[in-house]
Amino acid sequence: MFGFSSRSIALGVVLVLTVSSVALADPGTVRKGIDAWSTVPGQSHTSFADNPIPAGFFCDQSKPFTGSIALKGVPLATRPAKAMGPVDTVVSRLDDAVFNDQGVATTRIRLTALSLASVKPIQTECGAYDVKVSLTGEQPTTTMRIVRTEEYGGRYEAPLALNVRVVFTPVQGNRNREVSLVHRIDLGPGTSSVWTYAAKPRYDGPMWIDSNGDGKPDLQVRGDSNFLAGVTPIPTARLASWTAKASASTVPTCPPGTCLYQSCHCNPNEDSWDPYEKKDGCADDHLHCVWVCVNPNTAPSGTMMMCLDVAEPMDPSLQ
């Protein structure tokens, strides 16, 4: 999801869901809160082919780095410990969003936490480095547009802007120093960005998360919104669970009647890209793929889907 230009960082995320029949409360308003995600290992990547890390960055002998880095999620540090299970990415919706007569609501959003790492060390002329990605400094806000297409939910567009620190730590006998880069990134919305109502809090009581990547929970967040991103609206509202029934390396649980679909974001081609439209006009140097739960009867034509048992391990090709 990241590139050292005004392009994007790649994030792949997993939803973990259980089902609950509920009555909707105040369906005219989406309450402010957080959307939490878990990255799919290896499905997220960033390429430096167009924007190389400069020569001499890693050590005096290093050439410009033009490779691609595959990323995985590292669960956020929380208080209470492990309160959010495998979640590594949190986006905050800052305002209550009220639907107008056309069924459209808006809210400001801001990335609140990010915890990614390289799937394996990258190789340079100066040796091998592990890579870590986290947020740094004040984060920009963008506008999320939520559209209610039916009683139980709809779709949304949520471009993101964020400031990240990318840290390269020497490993495997590499005696060079740790180095880092800081940059602003922009992400466009993904295909099949769907939502449904959730009627119960995801977490009861105070919850703190690590917002700056130092491993110490420092920011209190709310988990009591009635909005659940990533699930197609179906006649029963959904209740999400922070705690995965399986590890972060296995498939998530989708509600009955829905199947896993890999929805992907891509970095913008600034000459032909509208941040509130679909991914047409985007490049794929930096790819952001997320799991969503989609009704196969209403999925886009040509959609690749999986309807798997929760106990079934994920296909290695997807990791």
Side-chain angles (χ1 to χ4, degrees):
M1 172 180 93
F2 62 88
F4 299 103
S5 67
S6 59
R7 297 198 175 183
S8 59
I9 278 187
L11 296 175
V13 301
V14 174
L15 293 170
V16 182
L17 305 165
T18 56
V19 180
S20 175
S21 297
V22 294
L24 299 181
D26 190 17
T29 301
V30 167
R31 297 194 301 272
K32 63 184 178 181
I34 58 174
D35 299 323
W37 310 93
S38 300
T39 298
V40 180
Q43 289 300 292
S44 303
H45 71 261
T46 186
S47 170
F48 296 93
D50 293 335
N51 299 278
I53 297 176
F57 175 80
F58 295 103
C59 69
D60 291 342
Q61 295 75 40
S62 66
K63 299 178 181 178
F65 182 81
T66 59
S68 181
I69 301 175
L71 298 169
K72 62 182 180 181
V74 178
L76 290 169
T78 63
R79 189 168 70 245
K82 301 181 180 180
M84 298 179 75
V87 166
D88 53 65
T89 305
V90 176
V91 176
S92 291
R93 286 174 280 104
L94 303 176
D95 314 298
D96 288 347
V98 180
F99 290 105
N100 61 21
D101 293 341
Q102 289 74 47
V104 178
T106 61
T107 178
R108 294 172 302 144
I109 55 175
R110 178 186 298 137
L111 208 69
T112 301
L114 179 69
S115 178
L116 301 179
S118 53
V119 171
K120 61 182 180 181
I122 64 167
Q123 300 297 323
T124 75
E125 293 79 12
C126 309
Y129 291 83
D130 280 335
V131 183
K132 177 183 176 182
V133 181
S134 58
L135 300 180
T136 186
E138 183 177 355
Q139 296 301 310
T141 60
T142 55
T143 299
M144 179 181 192
R145 186 165 61 193
I146 304 169
V147 182
R148 188 174 61 195
T149 58
E150 54 190 273
E151 181 181 3
Y152 294 97
R155 58 181 173 82
Y156 66 90
E157 296 90 35
L160 289 174
L162 55 155
N163 296 316
V164 299
R165 180 181 300 277
V166 186
V167 179
F168 301 86
T169 302
V171 295
Q172 300 175 358
N174 182 350
R175 297 185 179 182
N176 291 294
R177 62 187 176 89
E178 181 177 275
V179 290
S180 64
L181 288 172
V182 173
H183 205 77
R184 158 72 179 254
I185 314 129
D186 292 283
L187 281 175
T191 56
S192 291
S193 294
V194 292
W195 67 276
T196 191
Y197 285 101
K200 295 182 180 180
R202 282 178 155 187
Y203 188 85
D204 294 321
M207 180 169 55
W208 295 77
I209 62 173
D210 173 19
S211 69
N212 58 12
D214 66 359
K216 301 176 181 178
D218 62 290
L219 179 69
Q220 188 175 23
V221 295
R222 299 170 53 125
D224 58 353
S225 177
N226 60 342
F227 179 86
L228 177 56
V231 182
T232 191
I234 49 182
T236 306
R238 301 300 157 192
L239 171 63
S241 171
W242 292 125
T243 306
K245 293 183 178 179
S247 71
S249 62
T250 59
V251 298
T253 306
C254 277
T258 66
C259 301
L260 288 174
Y261 169 53
Q262 188 174 332
S263 169
C264 291
H265 303 241
C266 52
N267 56 288
N269 178 337
E270 295 180 354
D271 295 331
S272 59
W273 184 77
D274 180 339
Y276 292 97
E277 296 299 332
K278 295 182 179 180
K279 73 173 192 174
D280 296 340
C282 285
D284 62 359
D285 296 340
H286 314 290
L287 195 62
H288 170 199
C289 293
V290 304
W291 288 118
V292 293
C293 295
V294 177
N295 183 336
N297 296 322
T298 60
S301 176
T303 295
M304 296 297 294
M305 288 197 149
M306 294 183 297
C307 292
L308 302 176
D309 188 282
V310 67
E312 184 176 343
M314 182 180 289
D315 184 332
S317 67
L318 298 174
Q319 301 186 26

